[in-house]
Amino acid sequence: MEKIARGSLYLVLTGACTNGRDALDVAQAAIAGGINLIQMREKDTDRNGLLGLGKRLGSICKKSGVKLIINDDPFLAGELDADGVHMGQEDVKICNLEKARRILGKERIIGISTHSLAQFEEANLSDVDYIAYGPVFKTKTKDYFIGINHVEKVLAMSEKPVFFIGGINLSNIDELVSMGAENIALIRGITEAEDVTARTREFKKRMGKI
Ligand code: 3NM
């Protein structure tokens, strides 16, 4: 089976962006709506906190066949027996991809963020299982965005599944899908929805997956 199914919707879960709701409840609701992967992305939580949250998220995800990806830290991903790790451009300076692969083995997922064509080209040649490309739209998480001009180029050259990320919502997803985007990753488009399950389902529908 492919590590990343075509047409995957990827929730990057950050507790600070849930409008005060429990991150686990939001995860559960997204799972009910058909989310395919969840990333635990908590930049301000200490390791013990991450271990606790990661265990609880892992158990929810396992029950429903959703993949759990841990942000930044392959050691933590291994310790949690998660499905994989997501590495940022800064993370790979601390732990390079070869080392991450040695820690996690070839069955687990390694994904990487890219923010330019040059970074994408480099990632495309490396041992990763998916490439995230963005921010494609304006997002509160980053102070810049790279736009959608190169979306088709990136898709044409890619050897791996590509997740587009950054500011994706119901008003702009159709444009991405019409350009050929198959996989989408997002935070607020899902975590800030009043009805997380319905919103997740709507994204899947727009992606042609319902
Ligand atoms: N990474 P939202 S954009 C976590 O471009 C993250 O690498 C990005 O949140 C990248 O869907 C981003 O709320 C934020 O814009 C995604």
Side-chain angles (χ1 to χ4, degrees), residues 41 113 115 134-135 139 141-142 165-167 186-188:
R41 181 182 190 271
S113 293
H115 313 294
T139 169
T141 303
K142 310 265 175 184
I165 186 165
L186 71 188
I187 303 180
R188 293 171 189 81

